[in-house]
Amino acid sequence: MSLFRDLVFILVSTPHSPFAAHGHKLLILSPIIEGLCGGWSTLQAATSAYISDCTSDGSRAHIFSRFTGVFYFGFAVGPMLGAFLIRHPFIPIFSPATGVHNGAPTVTSVFYVSATASFVNLLLALFLFPESVHKKRAKVAAAQSALPVTPASSGSGEEIAQQP
């Protein structure tokens, strides 16, 4: 969903875009759609579940601490990188609106870089990262979920209390 949000910001921040006139509506609608789809908390939960499935019990805490450090490193470096891209739009494809505002730098280059990073992340998740649940574990889980739940196996404790 961050790819969608970045594309909306590109459409709104590009002055000659047909959506620029109605940008205030899109800037309100984009976070609402992202929030309905889960947003940042869903990304964190999915990342934690994937790490938990792919690591052994002994190294899980170490791997979780590394991923948390990388997330917070991104929070720290991201604004500095964004400010650098606004002041020095050195990649022409990421800054097509340079000079539109009487030579003043625009924020569009930041959103182009962010959308590109989100797209690369999507491609990596789809084609490079392996499935976290092995086929054998998936079959066992499917077989267990297909078993009917009987009152004795539900674990509620009511049956035990009623027996003499």
Side-chain angles (χ1 to χ4, degrees), residues 124-143:
L124 288 173
L126 289 176
F127 299 115
L128 187 64
F129 293 156
E131 178 64 38
S132 64
V133 178
H134 299 292
K135 291 180 182 179
K136 193 183 284 187
R137 282 179 51 191
K139 286 181 184 179
V140 170

Side-chain angles (χ1 to χ4, degrees), residues 9 13 86 105-112:
F9 284 141
S13 67
I86 290 171
T106 63
V107 297
T108 310
S109 61
V110 175
F111 294 115
Y112 274 103

